[in-house]
Tab-separated table of all heavy atoms in Angstrom:
chain	number	residue	atom	x	y	z
U	460	ARG	N	-1.792	2.720	-27.511
U	460	ARG	CA	-1.249	1.521	-26.868
U	460	ARG	C	-1.914	0.235	-27.376
U	460	ARG	O	-1.427	-0.862	-27.111
U	460	ARG	CB	-1.416	1.617	-25.345
U	460	ARG	CG	-0.632	2.787	-24.736
U	460	ARG	CD	-0.465	2.647	-23.241
U	460	ARG	NE	0.358	1.510	-22.900
U	460	ARG	CZ	-0.066	0.461	-22.220
U	460	ARG	NH1	-1.287	0.398	-21.798
U	460	ARG	NH2	0.755	-0.529	-21.961
U	461	VAL	N	-3.026	0.382	-28.079
U	461	VAL	CA	-3.780	-0.803	-28.507
U	461	VAL	C	-2.907	-1.732	-29.346
U	461	VAL	O	-2.909	-2.954	-29.151
U	461	VAL	CB	-5.056	-0.392	-29.289
U	461	VAL	CG1	-5.775	-1.622	-29.826
U	461	VAL	CG2	-5.984	0.417	-28.391
U	462	ALA	N	-2.108	-1.155	-30.267
U	462	ALA	CA	-1.276	-1.980	-31.153
U	462	ALA	C	-0.257	-2.788	-30.354
U	462	ALA	O	0.118	-3.895	-30.727
U	462	ALA	CB	-0.570	-1.080	-32.164
U	463	THR	N	0.213	-2.262	-29.241
U	463	THR	CA	1.255	-2.938	-28.440
U	463	THR	C	0.669	-3.978	-27.485
U	463	THR	O	1.169	-5.102	-27.416
U	463	THR	CB	2.027	-1.899	-27.581
U	463	THR	OG1	2.112	-0.690	-28.301
U	463	THR	CG2	3.378	-2.406	-27.178
U	464	VAL	N	-0.352	-3.632	-26.729
U	464	VAL	CA	-0.824	-4.553	-25.677
U	464	VAL	C	-2.227	-5.108	-25.947
U	464	VAL	O	-2.732	-5.894	-25.156
U	464	VAL	CB	-0.784	-3.888	-24.275
U	464	VAL	CG1	0.623	-3.497	-23.888
U	464	VAL	CG2	-1.713	-2.683	-24.181
U	465	GLY	N	-2.846	-4.716	-27.055
U	465	GLY	CA	-4.196	-5.213	-27.365
U	465	GLY	C	-5.268	-4.317	-26.758
U	465	GLY	O	-5.004	-3.566	-25.817
U	466	LEU	N	-6.470	-4.444	-27.291
U	466	LEU	CA	-7.553	-3.549	-26.881
U	466	LEU	C	-8.006	-3.796	-25.430
U	466	LEU	O	-8.160	-2.857	-24.647
U	466	LEU	CB	-8.744	-3.701	-27.843
U	466	LEU	CG	-9.966	-2.844	-27.514
U	466	LEU	CD1	-9.613	-1.353	-27.467
U	466	LEU	CD2	-11.078	-3.095	-28.537
U	467	ALA	N	-8.191	-5.079	-25.072
U	467	ALA	CA	-8.735	-5.365	-23.734
U	467	ALA	C	-7.794	-4.836	-22.644
U	467	ALA	O	-8.229	-4.172	-21.689
U	467	ALA	CB	-8.950	-6.863	-23.566
U	468	ARG	N	-6.501	-5.099	-22.781
U	468	ARG	CA	-5.547	-4.645	-21.748
U	468	ARG	C	-5.468	-3.128	-21.738
U	468	ARG	O	-5.352	-2.504	-20.674
U	468	ARG	CB	-4.175	-5.286	-21.982
U	468	ARG	CG	-3.128	-4.983	-20.945
U	468	ARG	CD	-3.502	-5.425	-19.539
U	468	ARG	NE	-3.536	-6.871	-19.382
U	468	ARG	CZ	-3.951	-7.501	-18.280
U	468	ARG	NH1	-4.357	-6.816	-17.231
U	468	ARG	NH2	-3.986	-8.822	-18.234
U	469	THR	N	-5.536	-2.516	-22.923
U	469	THR	CA	-5.499	-1.047	-22.979
U	469	THR	C	-6.675	-0.456	-22.201
U	469	THR	O	-6.499	0.468	-21.398
U	469	THR	CB	-5.573	-0.560	-24.444
U	469	THR	OG1	-4.452	-1.076	-25.155
U	469	THR	CG2	-5.566	0.953	-24.527
U	470	VAL	N	-7.864	-1.014	-22.442
U	470	VAL	CA	-9.051	-0.502	-21.740
U	470	VAL	C	-8.918	-0.764	-20.232
U	470	VAL	O	-9.217	0.105	-19.411
U	470	VAL	CB	-10.349	-1.143	-22.314
U	470	VAL	CG1	-11.560	-0.760	-21.471
U	470	VAL	CG2	-10.550	-0.706	-23.763
U	471	GLY	N	-8.423	-1.954	-19.884
U	471	GLY	CA	-8.218	-2.281	-18.464
U	471	GLY	C	-7.269	-1.294	-17.796
U	471	GLY	O	-7.553	-0.776	-16.711
U	472	ASP	N	-6.153	-1.002	-18.454
U	472	ASP	CA	-5.172	-0.058	-17.900
U	472	ASP	C	-5.776	1.340	-17.784
U	472	ASP	O	-5.543	2.062	-16.813
U	472	ASP	CB	-3.915	0.013	-18.781
U	472	ASP	CG	-3.082	-1.260	-18.698
U	472	ASP	OD1	-3.279	-2.046	-17.757
U	472	ASP	OD2	-2.236	-1.471	-19.600
U	473	TYR	N	-6.542	1.711	-18.795
U	473	TYR	CA	-7.170	3.041	-18.795
U	473	TYR	C	-8.150	3.166	-17.623
U	473	TYR	O	-8.123	4.153	-16.873
U	473	TYR	CB	-7.880	3.268	-20.135
U	473	TYR	CG	-8.675	4.552	-20.172
U	473	TYR	CD1	-8.041	5.791	-20.052
U	473	TYR	CD2	-10.065	4.536	-20.302
U	473	TYR	CE1	-8.773	6.971	-20.060
U	473	TYR	CE2	-10.798	5.711	-20.321
U	473	TYR	CZ	-10.140	6.925	-20.194
U	473	TYR	OH	-10.863	8.088	-20.192
U	474	LEU	N	-8.974	2.143	-17.441
U	474	LEU	CA	-9.956	2.194	-16.344
U	474	LEU	C	-9.264	2.112	-14.989
U	474	LEU	O	-9.670	2.774	-14.031
U	474	LEU	CB	-10.980	1.058	-16.499
U	474	LEU	CG	-11.900	1.147	-17.729
U	474	LEU	CD1	-12.827	-0.069	-17.789
U	474	LEU	CD2	-12.736	2.440	-17.708
U	475	ALA	N	-8.204	1.301	-14.897
U	475	ALA	CA	-7.500	1.143	-13.612
U	475	ALA	C	-6.877	2.454	-13.149
U	475	ALA	O	-6.750	2.709	-11.956
U	475	ALA	CB	-6.423	0.063	-13.733
U	476	ALA	N	-6.486	3.294	-14.108
U	476	ALA	CA	-5.832	4.555	-13.735
U	476	ALA	C	-6.833	5.556	-13.159
U	476	ALA	O	-6.454	6.445	-12.400
U	476	ALA	CB	-5.152	5.167	-14.962
U	477	LEU	N	-8.103	5.407	-13.483
U	477	LEU	CA	-9.090	6.411	-13.058
U	477	LEU	C	-9.239	6.429	-11.538
U	477	LEU	O	-9.128	5.403	-10.875
U	477	LEU	CB	-10.459	6.103	-13.685
U	477	LEU	CG	-10.556	6.151	-15.216
U	477	LEU	CD1	-11.938	5.655	-15.663
U	477	LEU	CD2	-10.314	7.572	-15.732
U	478	THR	N	-9.526	7.611	-11.012
U	478	THR	CA	-9.915	7.711	-9.608
U	478	THR	C	-11.407	7.397	-9.510
U	478	THR	O	-12.076	7.257	-10.540
U	478	THR	CB	-9.674	9.140	-9.094
U	478	THR	OG1	-10.486	10.034	-9.873
U	478	THR	CG2	-8.213	9.548	-9.226
U	479	ASP	N	-11.937	7.326	-8.291
U	479	ASP	CA	-13.386	7.080	-8.156
U	479	ASP	C	-14.180	8.165	-8.892
U	479	ASP	O	-15.075	7.884	-9.674
U	479	ASP	CB	-13.813	7.109	-6.678
U	479	ASP	CG	-13.207	5.986	-5.853
U	479	ASP	OD1	-12.412	5.201	-6.396
U	479	ASP	OD2	-13.530	5.915	-4.661
U	480	ARG	N	-13.828	9.416	-8.616
U	480	ARG	CA	-14.599	10.497	-9.233
U	480	ARG	C	-14.307	10.595	-10.731
U	480	ARG	O	-15.173	10.956	-11.510
U	480	ARG	CB	-14.348	11.826	-8.519
U	480	ARG	CG	-12.924	12.340	-8.658
U	480	ARG	CD	-12.698	13.600	-7.855
U	480	ARG	NE	-11.412	14.185	-8.199
U	480	ARG	CZ	-10.931	15.287	-7.668
U	480	ARG	NH1	-11.626	15.938	-6.761
U	480	ARG	NH2	-9.759	15.754	-8.026
Side-chain angles (χ1 to χ4, degrees):
R460 297 197 66 244
V461 175
T463 326
V464 298
L466 179 58
R468 184 60 69 186
T469 299
V470 172
D472 289 343
Y473 174 63
L474 294 178
L477 297 173
T478 61
D479 295 3
R480 66 184 190 180

